[in-house]
Amino acid sequence: MIEANNPEINVDELMEKVREEVAKRQTKLFSKENVNRQPSIGINPLLAHQIQAFLNNAESKSQVRTEFPEKLNCFPFTLSRRLQKFVLRLYAFLFKEQRAVNFSLIQALRESFTLNQQLSEQIAALQAQLQLIDERYIKNHIDIKNDLAQQQQLINCILDKGKQGKYRLSELLKSEQLQSFINEEKRLVDSFYVALEDKFRGSREEILERLKVYLPRIEQAKIGTQNLPILDLGCGRGEWLELLRDTGYVARGLDINQVMLYQCKTKGLNVIEADALTYLKSQPDASLGAVTGFHLIEHLPFPVLINLIEENVRVLQSGGLVIFETPNPQNALVGTHNFYIDPSHLKPLPSALVKFMLEHSGFEQVDIINLHPYDESFKLSGSPVAERFNEYFYGAQDYAVIGYKP
């Protein structure tokens, strides 16, 4: 009816827009792809603006006309103003009831649009709560799985030791075997440390993205082949090994955390349970293309670190490189607080010190790369003092030192 009497108002088009938006919202909110992602609340702002514009235009057209339409403002209607007023009054009288119907329909559409927005927001809020519950469930599931893996390792150790002692308790209590059990007891914290990293280090996807900064160095050095593989010390959850494998490089990693090693093996990564320094000492001279260690050196006593760097020089091929990433104590928040969230950290290492250690051991072209500053929203502006404050409190949270064997 509206379209027939006032062709400038297209109610069918308006209703179709509302139907499409409702269908789109329902599909989006309940699709599988949206389960693991925070839902957007309400209708798309651009589309909402368009629908509101349609409604406002329709509402204006339903009002009593006080002026002639532009397309009718021509001869013969322009001959007399009285004639124009008479035609407008006649038009208003003839379509009085139609205007009332039009206005009612428009108000109904506006209320329906508002109700749809409210329902969309309520559905989005409910889905956000469900997502939070799912995340908690997944986290608990991962923690339980890690604990079970740790317990399985301990049970296997007990069975192996029992077989060695011919199932006799007296054999198990020999000093050598007793020390082995003590060492296994220390590994009870492995699953705790995995949970700690999951909480504070960042998600696997985030770490994979961060590590891409090192790929150009690997490519330039022409390493990561069968003859010159890459060794990752303290490989942890294996993000670097996974990135290298997916990029086409040959690499292996080692760690002493059995839960992390289990996670790496489930992803098909080449990992070994071994102490970093002990393993390096077992490798032939000039047998590796690169040695890497991400958030490793801050765990090592100073004499061990010196020895580790010297072994790196020995096992690397000429032109090979070493990469160590560690927390940046020049950032005051890192050096006084964040660093100590990990109870296995010994002491922060200034970048100038680590650079000197590599150069003193024989590495050349040693570079320092500052990494992972705070988001710009944290930073102050407006004065040189604010800039200096940003540098020491919201600057790089980590740094990498990279050196090449001559």
Side-chain angles (χ1 to χ4, degrees):
M1 293 175 63
I2 297 177
E3 185 176 355
N5 291 285
N6 194 344
E8 297 185 56
I9 305 173
N10 193 331
V11 177
D12 289 340
E13 182 180 353
L14 186 60
M15 287 298 296
E16 185 61 28
K17 286 280 186 182
V18 175
R19 291 192 193 99
E20 289 178 359
E21 179 58 28
V22 172
K24 186 188 299 182
R25 288 293 303 163
Q26 290 175 342
T27 303
K28 183 177 180 181
L29 287 172
F30 296 104
S31 64
K32 292 183 180 179
E33 290 78 5
N34 198 42
V35 171
N36 296 322
R37 142 171 115 236
Q38 183 70 23
S40 59
I41 297 178
I43 296 175
N44 180 283
L46 180 60
L47 183 56
H49 178 74
Q50 291 175 345
I51 294 176
Q52 289 287 5
F54 274 120
L55 291 172
N56 292 336
N57 180 57
E59 188 173 5
S60 68
K61 299 299 183 183
S62 68
Q63 304 297 326
V64 176
R65 284 194 175 275
T66 58
E67 296 181 357
F68 255 55
E70 289 186 7
K71 56 187 177 182
L72 294 179
N73 196 16
C74 58
F75 182 83
F77 299 104
T78 54
L79 293 176
S80 171
R81 292 291 179 185
R82 289 184 180 181
L83 177 60
Q84 288 185 353
K85 290 181 180 180
F86 174 76
V87 173
L88 288 173
R89 288 176 183 174
L90 180 62
Y91 178 85
F93 175 77
L94 292 175
F95 296 102
K96 180 178 180 181
E97 292 185 1
Q98 182 63 61
R99 284 199 311 276
V101 172
N102 292 353
F103 186 77
S104 298
L105 285 173
I106 293 167
Q107 292 302 315
L109 287 172
R110 195 183 295 279
E111 291 295 328
S112 298
F113 177 70
T114 302
L115 180 61
N116 178 64
Q117 283 188 306
Q118 293 173 350
L119 290 174
S120 297
E121 292 173 2
Q122 292 174 3
I123 293 172
L126 289 173
Q127 188 175 4
Q129 294 177 7
L130 289 174
Q131 181 181 359
L132 182 60
I133 293 172
D134 288 342
E135 289 175 353
R136 290 176 180 172
Y137 171 80
I138 292 171
K139 183 182 182 302
N140 291 336
H141 173 73
I142 293 173
D143 289 344
I144 292 171
K145 186 176 180 180
N146 290 337
D147 288 338
L148 288 174
Q150 181 65 40
Q151 292 175 23
Q152 183 63 47
Q153 293 287 344
L154 292 174
I155 291 171
N156 291 339
C157 175
I158 293 171
L159 291 175
D160 291 342
K161 297 301 179 183
K163 291 176 181 178
Q164 293 173 13
K166 298 181 180 179
Y167 302 99
R168 289 183 298 177
L169 184 61
S170 60
E171 292 292 332
L172 290 175
L173 294 179
K174 286 183 177 180
S175 60
E176 222 176 88
Q177 293 170 328
L178 186 59
Q179 184 60 46
S180 175
F181 277 108
I182 293 173
N183 292 337
E184 290 299 326
E185 184 180 6
K186 293 178 181 177
R187 294 184 178 181
L188 288 172
V189 300
D190 283 2
S191 58
F192 167 81
Y193 193 76
V194 173
L196 185 73
E197 281 225 342
D198 290 343
K199 174 69 175 178
F200 294 103
R201 177 104 196 273
S203 68
R204 190 176 191 89
E205 292 73 21
E206 182 180 359
I207 300 303
L208 280 168
E209 188 62 32
R210 287 182 177 182
L211 291 171
K212 290 179 180 178
V213 69
Y214 302 109
L215 290 178
R217 298 276 187 158
I218 301 298
E219 183 179 2
Q220 291 170 5
K222 307 298 181 184
I223 56 174
T225 62
Q226 289 291 345
N227 294 330
L228 293 175
I230 300 166
L231 177 64
D232 187 31
L233 307 177
C235 60
R237 299 178 300 189
E239 294 96 339
W240 177 234
L241 293 176
E242 183 178 352
L243 182 60
L244 290 172
R245 180 193 64 188
D246 294 347
T247 316
Y249 296 109
V250 177
R252 62 179 179 272
L254 55 89
D255 209 299
I256 58 172
N257 186 305
Q258 293 185 346
V259 177
M260 288 183 170
L261 290 170
Y262 173 79
Q263 291 181 348
C264 290
K265 290 175 182 177
T266 59
K267 294 182 179 298
L269 301 174
N270 183 8
V271 292
I272 306 163
E273 182 181 356
D275 171 77
L277 182 56
T278 303
Y279 185 82
L280 278 174
K281 288 183 175 181
S282 69
Q283 299 304 295
D285 295 352
S287 59
L288 298 174
V291 178
T292 60
F294 299 98
H295 292 259
L296 167 75
I297 59 176
E298 66 272 14
H299 296 263
L300 304 177
F302 188 73
V304 175
L305 179 55
I306 288 287
N307 203 346
L308 183 81
I309 293 174
E310 291 175 348
E311 286 297 318
N312 276 312
V313 178
R314 182 185 64 81
V315 300
L316 283 173
Q317 174 78 11
S318 178
L321 68 153
V322 63
I323 302 175
F324 289 132
E325 182 183 302
T326 189
N328 181 20
Q330 188 171 354
N331 182 312
L333 294 177
V334 173
T336 61
H337 178 263
N338 297 350
F339 182 86
Y340 298 99
I341 290 176
D342 188 334
S344 62
H345 284 175
L346 294 183
K347 61 178 64 175
L349 297 168
S351 58
L353 170 63
V354 180
K355 180 180 180 182
F356 174 77
M357 293 171 68
L358 263 64
E359 291 173 337
H360 186 266
S361 298
F363 284 101
E364 296 181 350
Q365 306 174 43
V366 180
D367 296 327
I368 298 295
I369 304 176
N370 291 318
L371 302 164
H372 318 139
Y374 279 82
D375 187 84
E376 290 296 321
S377 60
F378 285 88
K379 297 182 179 180
L380 306 176
S381 61
S383 70
V385 175
E387 294 299 322
R388 182 60 61 88
F389 182 88
N390 292 336
E391 179 183 352
Y392 285 109
F393 282 85
Y394 300 129
Q397 300 178 75
D398 304 303
Y399 72 86
V401 58
I402 303 176
Y404 293 84
K405 180 178 177 178

